[in-house]
Amino acid sequence: MLYHLMDFSMQSAFYKDGAAIALSTACMVHCVALPVLAISSPVFAAVAEAEWVHWSMAVLAILASTSVVLSSPSSRVPEFLVPAGLGGLLITAALFAERFGIGETIPTVAGAVLIVSAHLLRLYKIRRS
């Protein structure tokens, strides 16, 4: 019975961390690929200009990471919180970067890489234990 509960806990962690990884990666791909695609299609150009798309991607990526922290006490360690938190701050900063004349690509990519790294390391440690 205990093995089954541990298996369920690991499976739950896999899905939550996987969602955070997928959403952070999607945010990064959106930031890097959309400007290139906008050149080739008016539809992509309209999406690239829509501010709500940027906000939605960022909020979903940050909420997915936050849900892991809130639901799993094992994620409340500095080796997870520091890179994931810094990544969330960088993605949030990217939302306001244009207002200050700064490009949004570098903070978005750096933030997404930090979040993905934190979640991959967490999954590795869960699987190893």
Side-chain angles (χ1 to χ4, degrees), residues 31-96:
C31 185
V32 172
L34 198 57
V36 175
L37 293 172
I39 295 169
S40 64
S41 168
V43 172
F44 289 121
V47 171
E49 292 299 318
E51 196 66 27
W52 68 269
V53 174
H54 301 291
W55 279 86
S56 299
M57 295 293 288
V59 167
L60 287 173
I62 292 168
L63 284 177
S65 256
T66 303
S67 76
V68 170
V69 174
L70 295 177
S71 67
S72 175
S74 68
S75 68
R76 298 179 198 139
V77 294
E79 60 195 17
F80 176 80
L81 290 175
V82 171
L86 185 57
L89 285 173
L90 284 169
I91 288 175
T92 302
L95 293 171
F96 300 101

